[in-house]
């Protein structure tokens, strides 16, 4: 089961809070979220009650280091209590160190475009690993770093809100380095810990299946988004081409060997069309080509593309973990079938030799969905935000049935 700090904890001022206040989102303020800061243990109990045996969460950098260089021991101790609770119940804690948000000082003082970002993140990683101790055996250090980089440095949709390929190139190199140094720190503190990342993987299809340019675009997008960015973590070299004019190249020998496993976040498929009327080189969007109906936020449901993606990524020779998979479905019309079909895709991938060793559903509870606020409902449990009461959706039973069969 997976959650992330900002989306569930509440009252955690950070760069994203400023973004909301500046009117840069569609969905309003995060505010109290779903109150998990006070309820984490109950949330773990809920996850366990429906059959989960692992709990993925993230540590809030802005809580732990609200002022640069001053670590908040009480915040670290609170996460330690959460870890201890998981361990006591036999639920494996899986910890992410950066799930999109940063302390407010970060972009001002040590932004990702500056090399100083790297020791800043590594120091934070070390402090967290020391505080959480050996109870944590699995880290997905960065959540969707490519999404964070594209959104923050090319699209300008999330903090720091830049649209500048040069800044993107600098930030990319520093984010890679930050991962490598954090991995070293974690291993130094906790030699038994497995280090990975959670990489967002998308299926891409040509909008017009026979159109050669649409097909070419789908191939380029797949290479760039699903493979090339990730491969740098294995080889220590990157050469990323983003049509029409952006090429990002670099190397960092410390990156090679910095992963023990690859976490895969999979949600949907994009259809690409050349040339773009709205976006230049290409337009992209979701279509209901499989006939299952779109999710509440308009995403296509495509379990059939999940299996080949897992098989392809397993070619890197590392174990895989499905670190997120889920959908926005307030009425719970599609979730049970979605779960069954995606877990079946994992099993088929494993039957073909992939080594997927776990599945985390996104998400345990309804939560704050970034630019879209509280609109999309991703939870197996609905949350009444007045009382913060959690109530299972019917699909929670489908999760339990799968857990009984496969755990
Ligand atoms: C992110 C989550 C997000 C989910 C649904 C993932 O890419 O890691 O934070 O809530 O997608 O949009």
């Amino acid at each position: 089961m997976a959650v992330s700090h900002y989306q569930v904890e509440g009252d955690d001022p950070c760069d994203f809070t400023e973004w909301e206040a500046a009117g840069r989102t569609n969905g309003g303020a995060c505010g109290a979220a779903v109150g998990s800061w006070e309820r984490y243990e109950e949330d773990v109990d809920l996850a366990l009650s429906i059959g989960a045996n692992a709990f993925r969460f993230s540590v809030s950098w802005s809580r732990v280091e609200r002022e640069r260089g001053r670590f908040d021991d009480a915040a670290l101790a609170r996460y330690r209590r959460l870890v201890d609770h998981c361990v006591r119940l036999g639920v494996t804690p899986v910890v992410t160190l950066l799930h999109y948000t940063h302390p407010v000082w970060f972009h001002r003082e040590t932004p990702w475009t500056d090399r100083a970002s790297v020791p800043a993140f590594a120091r934070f990683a070390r402090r967290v690993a020391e505080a959480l101790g050996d109870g944590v055996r699995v880290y997905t250090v960065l959540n969707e770093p490519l999404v964070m980089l594209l959104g923050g440095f090319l699209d300008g949709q999330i903090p720091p809100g830049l649209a500048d390929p040069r800044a993107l190139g600098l930030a990319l190199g520093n984010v890679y380095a930050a991962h490598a140094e954090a991995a070293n720190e974690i291993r130094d503190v906790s030699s038994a810990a497995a280090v990975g990342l959670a990489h967002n993987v998308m299926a891409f299809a040509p909008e017009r299946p026979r159109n050669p340019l649409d097909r070419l675009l789908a191939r380029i997008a797949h290479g760039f988004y699903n493979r090339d960015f990730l491969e740098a973590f294995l080889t220590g070299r990157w050469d990323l081409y983003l049509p029409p004019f952006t090429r990002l190249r670099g190397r960092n020998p410390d990156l090679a060997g910095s992963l023990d496993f690859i976490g895969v976040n999979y949600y949907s498929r994009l259809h690409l069309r050349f040339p773009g009327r709205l976006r230049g080189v290409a337009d992209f969007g979701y279509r209901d080509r499989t006939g299952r109906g779109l999710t509440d936020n308009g995403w296509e449901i495509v379990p059939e593309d999940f299996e080949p993606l897992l098989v392809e990524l397993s070619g890197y020779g590392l174990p895989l973990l499905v670190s997120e998979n889920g959908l926005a479905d307030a009425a719970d019309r599609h979730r049970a079938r979605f779960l069954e079909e995606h877990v079946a895709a994992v099993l088929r991938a494993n039957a073909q030799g992939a080594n997927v060793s776990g599945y985390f559903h996104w998400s345990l509870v309804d939560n704050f969905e970034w630019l879209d606020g509280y609109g999309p409902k991703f939870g197996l449990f609905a949350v009444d935000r007045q009382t913060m009461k959690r109530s299972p959706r019917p699909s929670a039973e489908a999760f339990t049935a799968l857990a009984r069969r496969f755990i």
Side-chain angles (χ1 to χ4, degrees):
M1 203 64 70
V3 299
S4 93
H5 68 279
Y6 193 67
Q7 296 179 270
V8 298
E9 288 179 359
D11 303 317
D12 176 14
C14 63
D15 58 348
F16 216 85
T17 322
E18 296 195 339
W19 204 242
E20 293 152 19
R24 302 292 298 267
T25 70
N26 312 316
C30 177
V34 293
S36 291
W37 188 242
E38 288 84 29
R39 290 172 183 78
Y40 263 139
E41 286 73 12
E42 289 166 42
D43 286 348
V44 174
D45 295 349
L46 284 184
L48 181 68
S49 76
I50 61 168
N53 67 347
F55 188 76
R56 176 176 170 232
F57 67 95
S58 57
V59 170
S60 166
W61 191 358
S62 43
R63 277 192 198 281
V64 165
E65 194 181 355
R66 177 101 50 222
E67 283 171 53
R68 185 174 169 200
R70 288 191 50 190
F71 287 87
D72 183 334
D73 290 333
L76 287 165
R78 199 275 165 266
Y79 286 115
R80 173 62 185 251
R81 285 200 302 281
L82 168 59
V83 167
D84 290 347
H85 187 75
C86 289
V87 171
R88 234 183 344 264
L89 297 181
V91 171
T92 303
V94 173
V95 176
T96 297
L97 297 180
L98 194 74
H99 198 123
Y100 293 163
T101 74
H102 304 78
V104 285
W105 53 263
F106 178 78
H107 300 296
R108 271 198 306 270
E109 298 180 34
T110 62
W112 283 122
T113 47
D114 188 323
R115 190 71 198 173
S117 56
V118 178
F121 183 70
R123 180 167 64 167
F124 161 66
R126 184 174 188 96
R127 284 301 286 261
V128 173
E130 284 170 347
L132 300 187
D134 288 338
V136 180
R137 307 289 289 266
V138 187
Y139 283 89
T140 44
V141 178
L142 303 174
N143 181 71
E144 303 188 347
L146 183 59
V147 175
M148 180 183 86
L149 287 161
L150 295 177
F153 296 87
L154 198 66
D155 253 8
Q157 295 268 335
I158 57 173
L162 303 180
D164 173 359
R166 202 181 148 266
L168 175 67
L170 291 170
L172 178 84
N174 289 327
V175 167
Y176 277 142
H179 165 86
E181 293 208 6
N184 285 338
E185 297 291 354
I186 291 167
R187 287 174 175 147
D188 189 42
V189 173
S190 201
S191 56
V195 171
L197 85 165
H199 179 48
N200 186 277
V201 165
M202 267 274 174
F204 292 97
E207 167 84 49
R208 295 160 295 180
R210 289 169 193 281
N211 182 291
L213 292 170
D214 292 6
R215 292 163 70 119
L216 177 67
L217 275 175
R219 258 204 314 281
I220 292 174
H222 171 69
F224 168 78
Y225 196 87
N226 295 326
R227 300 187 58 106
D228 298 350
F229 172 78
L230 184 63
E231 270 171 29
F233 289 90
L234 297 135
T235 62
R237 287 186 308 278
W238 60 97
D239 183 356
L240 307 178
Y241 171 56
L242 252 174
F245 304 123
T246 304
R247 185 136 186 213
L248 309 169
R249 296 157 103 164
R251 56 193 296 272
N252 178 346
D254 295 342
L255 255 189
S258 67
L259 292 182
D260 297 310
F261 69 94
I262 298 170
V264 175
N265 293 359
Y266 174 74
Y267 287 90
S268 188
R269 171 164 77 180
L270 280 174
H271 298 262
L272 305 180
R273 183 188 184 95
F274 176 90
R277 262 169 292 224
L278 302 171
R279 297 182 191 248
V281 179
D283 283 343
F284 47 87
Y286 301 99
R287 311 270 176 267
D288 182 15
R289 288 276 156 76
T290 70
R292 289 185 179 81
L294 299 172
T295 68
D296 290 351
N297 54 349
W299 296 356
E300 188 180 20
I301 300 173
V302 203
E304 39 284 83
D305 281 1
F306 194 23
E307 174 194 342
L309 281 165
L310 291 171
V311 170
E312 186 175 343
L313 295 182
S314 70
Y316 292 127
L318 290 175
L320 304 179
L321 198 65
V322 178
S323 35
E324 287 179 30
N325 173 242
L327 76 167
D329 182 17
D332 212 37
R333 266 195 301 265
H334 304 294
R335 192 173 281 102
R337 183 171 168 209
F338 181 102
L339 262 164
E340 283 153 9
E341 293 190 325
H342 284 79
V343 169
V346 171
L347 296 174
R348 286 198 306 275
N350 275 352
Q352 290 181 60
N355 178 7
V356 183
S357 53
Y359 173 93
F360 288 79
H361 192 69
W362 186 273
S363 185
L364 176 69
V365 286
D366 290 343
N367 57 49
F368 178 74
E369 180 55 20
W370 305 114
L371 299 175
D372 295 328
Y374 291 100
K377 309 288 190 206
F378 277 85
L380 284 165
F381 287 80
V383 179
D384 175 338
R385 292 196 59 250
Q386 299 304 313
T387 60
M388 298 298 183
K389 186 171 169 344
R390 282 90 162 115
S391 314
R393 292 200 162 90
S395 55
E397 283 178 24
F399 182 91
T400 305
L402 289 168
R404 284 217 183 97
R405 268 173 67 202
F406 297 115
I407 291 183

